[in-house]
């Protein structure tokens, strides 16, 4: 029997649509009385808001309506400031309207969300709506700039997945995914370069990944051709003198750069306040390993067959980094903490490294095809499925690199999960499924969104107590229980 779902009561007519309708019309009315230099940017701000308001009123339910409303509200605010010399007091009204539309996007998205009944229901408060709208705006930006497969690309994906299915049906993984994933050795040849960034002093660790895409799988040669990706990199925070415990901090999708990673993990706090060594690896195709204009490009929006190579190399690189740590300081405990896509890889690591002191999967992505299908534009999704590509089939083919299909080796008492009740990027059912698969270990739900995780103070005690409980924090630096 499938998981019982919960959804708030849905009104036949969403009265909240009146706000973006009014704001969009006011934008057009304010701009039309001026020259084209004012009217055009006013229309650029007002038309999307008006369109989203109309969509909420007449055909609600499409996920991208609230995404583009939140994004449009954010874009309209600086336009109102820019046009204020011509619009006068109207610019102030439009700024207030931008805030109102942003909150409406969060309100409607929260109202329309379907979540498992086992997940606590987030309150419909202004704070939650603001957090949800922030997720929605980022999704709008991601979807607007994403590579949408079409034409020959879809045909290639379909043919490669057929080839992958044939490999699976021929019993290629009959001995289990653990047999397919080779165990890496610690790198003998590596470089450590001292650096300083964002007020933090650390070393960059570089070594050859030495990952080899399985030639029996489609897309292996293409994956091997990503030259920058063959160089593994990690930030290393080490204390001088006696060895210390280690924490591997695994970043999320579109991260891998200092400005995002160092603040997300509070690296300076972990290193200096709690006295541990910290390793912050760069996942494949992110940061310095990127092959696209933006970090993480082609990782989730590249060829579908490459999803297997991407997760397999991510796991390989993390295990190779852990081997380097243990070769340098063999008697020290090593833990893992990952956020989002990093939570996915932390959960993978738990299925192969039984001696991890603890594994904390934060707002974890656990089913990549489900996430892709949830955020795919409706028309393109319909086209993909008409060509024979389905979420369920892709999920099954990704089983060898899925934390939902691999049994954890790390004992239950050393496994932890935290997740957001109003997460728009990673649906709450994904961390819930991992929690059930992991035999219901310690879990913490917070009333917030995916991006609000940085500012959720209640998470600090949960994470830091887990680290202290398993020997990663010095006794004299343990946080209060």
């Amino acid at each position: 029997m499938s998981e019982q779902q919960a959804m708030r009561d849905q009104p036949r007519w969403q009265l909240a649509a009146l706000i973006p309708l009014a704001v969009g019309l006011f934008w057009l009315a304010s701009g039309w009385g001026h020259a084209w230099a004012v009217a055009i940017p006013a229309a650029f701000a007002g038309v999307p808001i008006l369109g989203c308001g109309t969509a909420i009123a007449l055909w609600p339910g499409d996920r991208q309506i609230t995404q583009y409303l939140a994004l449009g509200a954010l874009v309209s605010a600086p336009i109102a400031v820019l046009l204020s010399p011509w619009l006068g007091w109207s610019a102030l009204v439009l700024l207030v309207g931008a805030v109102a539309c942003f909150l409406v996007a969060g309100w409607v998205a929260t109202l329309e969300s379907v979540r498992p009944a086992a997940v606590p229901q987030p309150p419909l408060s202004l704070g939650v709506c603001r957090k949800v709208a922030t997720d929605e705006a980022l999704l709008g930006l991601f979807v607007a700039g994403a590579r949408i497969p079409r034409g020959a690309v879809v045909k290639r994906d379909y043919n490669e997945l057929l080839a992958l299915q044939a490999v699976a049906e021929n019993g290629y993984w009959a001995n289990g995914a653990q047999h397919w994933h080779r165990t890496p050795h610690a790198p003998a040849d590596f470089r450590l370069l001292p650096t300083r960034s964002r007020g933090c002093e650390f070393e960059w660790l570089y070594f050859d990944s030495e990952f080899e895409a399985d030639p029996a799988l489609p897309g292996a040669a293409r994956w091997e051709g990503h030259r920058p990706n063959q160089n593994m990199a990690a930030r290393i925070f080490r204390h001088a003198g006696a060895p210390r415990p280690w924490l591997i901090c695994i970043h999320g999708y579109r991260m891998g750069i200092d400005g995002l990673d160092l603040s997300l993990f509070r690296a300076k706090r972990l290193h200096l306040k709690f006295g541990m060594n910290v390793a912050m690896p760069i996942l494949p195709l992110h940061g310095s390993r990127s092959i696209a204009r933006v970090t993480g490009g082609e990782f989730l929006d590249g060829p579908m067959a490459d999803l297997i190579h991407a997760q397999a190399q991510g796991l390989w690189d993390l295990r190779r980094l852990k081997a380097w740590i243990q070769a340098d300081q063999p008697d020290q405990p090593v833990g893992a903490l990952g956020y989002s896509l990093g939570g996915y890889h932390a959960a993978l690591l738990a299925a192969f490294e039984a001696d991890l002191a603890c594994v904390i999967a934060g707002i974890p992505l656990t089913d990549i095809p489900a996430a892709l299908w949830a955020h795919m534009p409706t028309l393109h999704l319909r086209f993909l499925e008409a060509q024979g590509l389905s979420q369920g089939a892709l999920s099954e083919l990704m089983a060898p690199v899925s934390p939902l299909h691999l049994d954890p080796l790390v004992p239950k008492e050393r496994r932890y999960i935290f997740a957001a009740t109003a997460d728009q990027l990673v649906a709450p059912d994904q961390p819930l499924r991992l929690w059930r698969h992991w035999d219901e270990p310690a879990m913490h739900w917070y009333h917030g969104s995916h991006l609000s995780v940085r500012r959720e103070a209640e998470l600090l005690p949960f994470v830091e107590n887990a680290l202290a409980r398993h020997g990663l924090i010095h006794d004299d630096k343990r946080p209060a229980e």
Side-chain angles (χ1 to χ4, degrees), residues 311-327:
Q311 318 316 317
Q313 181 167 10
L315 173 62
W316 167 275
D317 289 341
L318 291 173
R319 299 180 73 191
R320 194 158 155 81
L321 173 62
K322 177 175 175 285
W324 177 84
I325 291 172
Q326 292 178 317

Side-chain angles (χ1 to χ4, degrees), residues 20-256:
L21 284 171
V23 172
L25 288 172
F26 192 73
W27 262 111
L28 298 181
S30 300
W32 282 346
H34 298 274
W36 286 109
V38 174
I40 290 176
F44 179 80
V47 169
I49 292 176
L50 180 61
C52 290
T54 304
I56 291 172
L58 299 182
W59 51 89
D62 190 297
R63 288 283 291 110
Q64 292 183 334
I65 297 173
T66 50
Q67 294 170 11
Y68 284 126
L69 177 58
L71 182 60
L74 285 182
V75 171
S76 71
I79 295 177
V81 173
L82 183 66
L83 298 182
S84 59
W86 295 273
L87 300 182
W89 63 268
S90 297
L92 180 59
V93 174
L94 292 170
L95 277 173
V96 174
V99 174
C101 289
F102 189 74
L103 293 174
V104 166
W107 173 279
V108 175
T110 305
L111 198 66
E112 294 179 348
S113 294
V114 178
R115 59 182 52 80
V119 175
Q121 188 82 277
L124 269 174
S125 64
L126 288 180
V128 168
C129 291
R130 174 183 55 80
K131 296 173 183 179
V132 169
T134 305
D135 273 14
E136 291 289 285
L138 181 65
L139 280 169
L141 186 63
F142 278 178
V143 173
R147 182 197 70 92
I148 301 297
R150 53 169 60 87
V153 173
V154 174
K155 186 66 175 177
R156 179 209 60 202
D157 282 348
Y158 177 72
N159 289 335
E160 290 187 347
L161 292 182
L162 277 183
L164 186 59
Q165 188 172 21
V167 168
E169 290 175 350
N170 287 334
Y172 189 69
W173 289 299
N175 293 327
Q178 278 84 356
H179 178 78
W180 178 64
H181 291 280
R182 296 177 297 119
T183 300
H185 298 290
D189 185 15
F190 59 87
R191 292 178 296 145
L192 283 165
L193 300 179
T195 190
R196 181 180 179 86
S197 178
R198 308 282 174 168
C200 298
E201 294 183 358
F202 56 91
E203 299 170 288
W204 273 111
L205 169 67
Y206 297 103
F207 56 82
D208 290 338
S209 169
E210 296 188 5
F211 172 79
E212 296 177 359
D214 192 330
L217 304 184
R222 178 179 58 235
W223 186 261
E224 291 289 337
H226 300 326
R227 297 298 178 187
N229 190 49
Q230 296 177 8
N231 301 313
M232 173 58 179
R235 303 178 194 88
I236 301 295
F237 294 76
R238 290 192 298 182
H239 288 273
R244 303 285 187 96
W246 284 82
L247 181 65
I248 299 174
C249 297
I250 313 168
H251 66 76
Y253 180 54
R254 298 290 193 191
M255 297 181 64

Side-chain angles (χ1 to χ4, degrees), residues 244-322:
R244 303 285 187 96
W246 284 82
L247 181 65
I248 299 174
C249 297
I250 313 168
H251 66 76
Y253 180 54
R254 298 290 193 191
M255 297 181 64
I257 54 180
D258 291 350
L260 297 176
D261 299 3
L262 296 175
S263 61
L264 173 63
F265 288 102
R266 297 176 172 88
K268 201 170 183 179
R269 174 186 175 91
L270 291 172
H271 178 55
L272 298 179
K273 180 175 180 179
F274 295 129
M276 67 182 71
N277 294 329
V278 178
M280 303 180 67
I282 306 299
L283 289 175
L285 303 187
H286 286 77
S288 61
R289 310 176 69 182
S290 179
I291 62 170
R293 290 176 299 172
V294 294
T295 177
E298 301 283 326
F299 192 97
L300 295 181
D301 59 349
M304 288 189 180
D306 285 3
L307 289 170
I308 292 182
H309 303 305
Q311 318 316 317
Q313 181 167 10
L315 173 62
W316 167 275
D317 289 341
L318 291 173
R319 299 180 73 191
R320 194 158 155 81
L321 173 62
K322 177 175 175 285

